Amino acid sequence: MKCTVLTVGTEILFGSIVNTNAVYLSRQLQTLGIDVMYHMTVGDNPVRLKEMMAHAYLDCDMIITTGGLGPTQDDLTKEMIAEYFGERVVEWPEQTEILKSHFKGRPMTDNNRKQAWFPEHCTVLKNPNGTAPGFWMEKDGKIVISMPGPPSEMQPMFENEVRPRLLALQNSVLFYKDVRTCGIGESQLETELLDLIDGQTDPTLATYAGTFQCSLRVASKRPTLQEAQQAVEDTMVQVRSCIGQYIYSEEGEELPAVVFHLLQEKGLRLSSCESCTGGMFAAAITDIAGSSEVFDRSLVTYCNKAKMEELGVRAETLDTCTAVSRETACEMAEGLYRVTGSDLCISVTGYAGPGGGTEEDPVGTFYVGLWYQGKVEAFRFSTRRPSRDRVRKNAVLQMFRLLYEKIK
């Protein structure tokens, strides 16, 4: 089944809100084996809305709309869908009573009543989280599913009202693995997998570039979930043999979460000290619920004085080797261990830019120090096309990658 996701709302075109509905629906539909062919966004304009529907139905069997079901004059999605299919919009008395119950104890303005009017031949989709129900309509071999715009209303409606109906229509199931990699670029990733990609039918492989990391989607659509899972696993055996050293997750987990779970499993505690990243590493791991189980503390030692006072970095090291060096990164990590006694102590120092840097270590260079089991090491990294944001994000990613490789 081919589908278009059509989001309605001038505020989306103005950039006043982010279109998260299209992302959510695409992710949900792919798990059901439904192919999303187009994302379309149209303002609150009846003529253009009908034009978009006509265009979508040239290539698709189904349209899912979000937005335009409210009480105001510019909420016209329902009316335009009915007009497109030659349907009358009529009042559904039972929906009027439900609507009145929403306003019990407070006045209901007349314009709210339009939320109880629907195409004559449709199925109303319940909305316990708001006043605007959705609806499902099938006509002339086409399906339209219309849901409210607010994600807090749309997502529960999809899960409770729409997903079961879509499942009943499917004769195949999609299963996929979201494989996350680090330390390999997208072009090299594709090259390593070229024999698999060139010969693919089902399962299919697709690579996606991220910020300093890449992901790979291995998907199969089969009559049963068990068949699809087995097909993906058979392909994953070949994928692992090609790029296994770069894979850190096969379940779509972000690297900080993977490291967190490894620390949990091994009963290890971690501390960090940061210079150029200014606490970004600590923020990334403490964003994870339960991180206090594994994360002890973080020190932001931004200036040389702080490195000396908090971590015991020697003035001689800073004068001779500079603050951005292997030696400083090592002394930072060692000093952090003396302060915390944590099982792993990780440090970072670098030139985030735009100023600073040397001929040997230009802007974009950073060093990561790691103390573990009585041994301290330092690793040098450089960032291509360095901007302050890119350098800092790359540094945090490499810190997590080194931790992953050390403890996995």
Side-chain angles (χ1 to χ4, degrees):
M1 184 177 292
K2 296 180 180 179
C3 177
T4 289
V5 175
L6 175 57
T7 48
V8 182
T10 304
E11 66 275 16
I12 300 172
L13 295 177
F14 284 174
S16 302
I17 63 171
V18 177
N19 187 2
T20 59
N21 285 349
V23 176
Y24 171 84
L25 288 170
S26 288
R27 288 174 177 168
Q28 299 303 314
L29 292 168
Q30 71 173 347
T31 66
L32 296 170
I34 296 171
D35 298 318
V36 177
M37 308 305 292
Y38 304 104
H39 282 180
M40 296 180 178
T41 301
V42 64
D44 300 300
N45 182 288
V47 174
R48 285 193 284 272
L49 176 56
K50 286 198 294 183
E51 288 175 350
M52 290 295 99
M53 291 185 62
H55 177 75
Y57 276 133
L58 290 175
D59 194 31
C60 294
D61 318 290
M62 179 169 67
I63 296 174
I64 298 181
T65 76
T66 66
L69 298 181
T72 60
Q73 290 185 4
D74 61 352
D75 289 316
L76 296 169
T77 300
K78 187 167 26 185
E79 291 80 358
M80 292 306 101
I81 290 174
E83 189 174 311
Y84 179 86
F85 283 107
E87 285 273 321
R88 290 194 310 142
V89 176
V90 297
E91 183 177 9
W92 287 50
E94 63 271 33
Q95 293 302 319
T96 300
E97 294 307 309
I98 292 172
L99 187 63
K100 287 178 180 178
S101 70
H102 276 287
F103 287 90
K104 193 173 183 179
R106 57 195 174 102
M108 184 178 83
T109 57
D110 287 342
N111 57 357
N112 274 290
R113 296 184 69 90
K114 70 177 287 194
Q115 294 176 107
W117 288 65
F118 293 92
E120 190 171 12
H121 301 99
C122 77
T123 299
V124 174
L125 305 175
K126 298 174 184 176
N127 181 9
N129 301 291
T131 58
F135 65 94
W136 171 301
M137 190 164 66
E138 299 182 41
K139 194 165 186 178
D140 302 326
K142 303 293 185 181
I143 299 171
V144 62
I145 303 164
S146 190
M147 294 184 288
S152 60
E153 300 177 32
M154 184 275 291
Q155 292 181 15
M157 183 180 292
F158 180 87
E159 193 61 38
N160 298 322
E161 297 284 318
V162 177
R163 179 187 289 277
R165 291 177 169 86
L166 291 176
L167 279 170
L169 298 177
Q170 294 306 100
N171 56 11
S172 62
V173 178
L174 181 77
F175 178 77
Y176 69 94
K177 277 190 174 291
D178 183 0
V179 181
R180 301 297 179 93
T181 69
C182 188
I184 184 172
E186 186 184 23
S187 58
Q188 184 62 31
L189 181 65
E190 183 183 70
T191 300
E192 296 291 336
L193 297 169
L194 206 53
D195 288 344
L196 292 174
I197 292 172
D198 281 348
Q200 68 182 346
T201 51
D202 183 296
T204 58
L205 291 82
T207 60
Y208 304 93
T211 305
F212 306 112
Q213 51 188 322
C214 297
S215 59
L216 171 72
R217 185 172 178 267
V218 182
S220 177
K221 187 187 291 186
R222 300 290 170 106
T224 68
L225 177 61
Q226 291 75 16
E227 290 177 84
Q229 287 175 325
Q230 187 59 56
V232 168
E233 181 52 37
D234 291 343
T235 300
M236 281 301 304
V237 172
Q238 299 172 280
V239 168
R240 293 183 198 110
S241 70
C242 295
I243 61 163
Q245 68 270 35
Y246 302 110
I247 295 172
Y248 66 81
S249 174
E250 296 182 8
E251 308 301 331
E253 276 192 304
E254 298 293 343
L255 190 50
V258 173
V259 170
F260 165 69
H261 293 310
L262 280 173
L263 291 167
Q264 260 188 330
E265 289 168 14
K266 296 183 179 291
L268 298 172
R269 290 192 68 77
L270 168 70
S271 289
S272 64
C273 53
E274 305 178 58
S275 184
C276 60
T277 51
M280 291 171 62
F281 175 88
I285 195 161
T286 55
D287 275 346
I288 302 167
S291 57
S292 59
E293 294 178 35
V294 301
F295 190 60
D296 182 54
R297 75 191 79 176
S298 178
L299 301 175
V300 177
T301 53
Y302 207 68
C303 67
N304 286 353
K305 182 182 178 185
K307 292 178 178 67
M308 291 187 289
E309 290 181 352
E310 303 293 335
L311 301 170
V313 176
R314 295 176 301 158
E316 179 185 354
T317 302
L318 295 167
D319 291 339
T320 305
C321 304
T322 77
V324 180
S325 63
R326 294 181 187 276
E327 293 80 3
T328 297
C330 283
E331 290 191 21
M332 288 172 68
E334 287 178 308
L336 185 63
Y337 172 71
R338 288 193 298 270
V339 171
T340 67
S342 295
D343 301 298
L344 292 116
C345 292
I346 194 163
S347 65
V348 63
T349 179
Y351 295 118
T358 65
E359 186 174 344
E360 183 180 346
D361 290 327
V363 170
T365 303
F366 58 90
Y367 291 86
V368 177
L370 183 60
W371 188 98
Y372 183 50
Q373 295 183 338
K375 182 181 179 181
V376 67
E377 302 172 85
F379 306 85
R380 181 184 185 275
F381 299 92
S382 59
T383 307
R384 289 182 296 172
R385 304 185 304 280
S387 67
R388 191 170 182 81
D389 184 60
R390 280 176 59 84
V391 174
R392 285 151 59 94
K393 286 180 178 177
N394 190 20
V396 171
L397 176 69
Q398 299 304 337
M399 292 169 76
F400 279 109
R401 185 174 70 84
L402 285 171
L403 287 167
Y404 171 75
E405 292 175 351
K406 181 62 67 175
I407 62 178
K408 68 179 178 179

